[in-house]
Amino acid sequence: LHLNDNQIGDVSALSGLTRLEVLYLYGNRISSIEPLVNNPGLSSGDLVHVNDNPLDSASISVYVVQLESRGVRVFY
C-alpha cells in the first residue's frame, strides 16, 4: 500500500488491514505508529516505510522495536 506524501497524520485506520505486507508512509505528518503495532497482521517479512515523518520518541524507542521484534523491517 503506497500512501507516501499525502499529509497523513493518523494511521489508526491501518490497524485493521491485517493483510498488509508492504506499507509506504514516508513523507507524511505521522507522529505515532502505535496503530501499526496494534495490527496483528504485520509480522515477519513485512516492510513498513515511515521515513521523513515527525515520529515521536515513543514511536522510535518503543513501537519500532516492537514491530522489529515481530520480524517487521521498519525504515524510519
Side-chain angles (χ1 to χ4, degrees), residues 5-74:
D5 298 318
N6 281 297
Q7 299 184 10
I8 295 168
D10 182 6
V11 292
S12 297
L14 302 177
S15 65
L17 299 178
T18 59
R19 297 190 65 170
L20 291 172
E21 294 178 3
V22 178
L23 181 57
Y24 291 100
L25 291 167
Y26 57 84
N28 284 292
R29 296 180 178 175
I30 300 162
S31 60
S32 177
I33 61 167
E34 182 178 13
L36 301 182
V37 174
N38 296 331
N39 182 330
L42 288 173
S43 59
S44 184
D46 294 340
L47 305 174
V48 173
H49 295 261
V50 288
N51 316 62
D52 217 12
N53 280 284
L55 297 178
D56 59 24
S57 61
S59 289
I60 295 168
S61 64
V62 177
Y63 306 133
V64 167
V65 173
Q66 289 176 345
L67 287 169
E68 289 177 335
S69 72
R70 292 176 8 200
V72 179
R73 290 185 56 199
V74 183

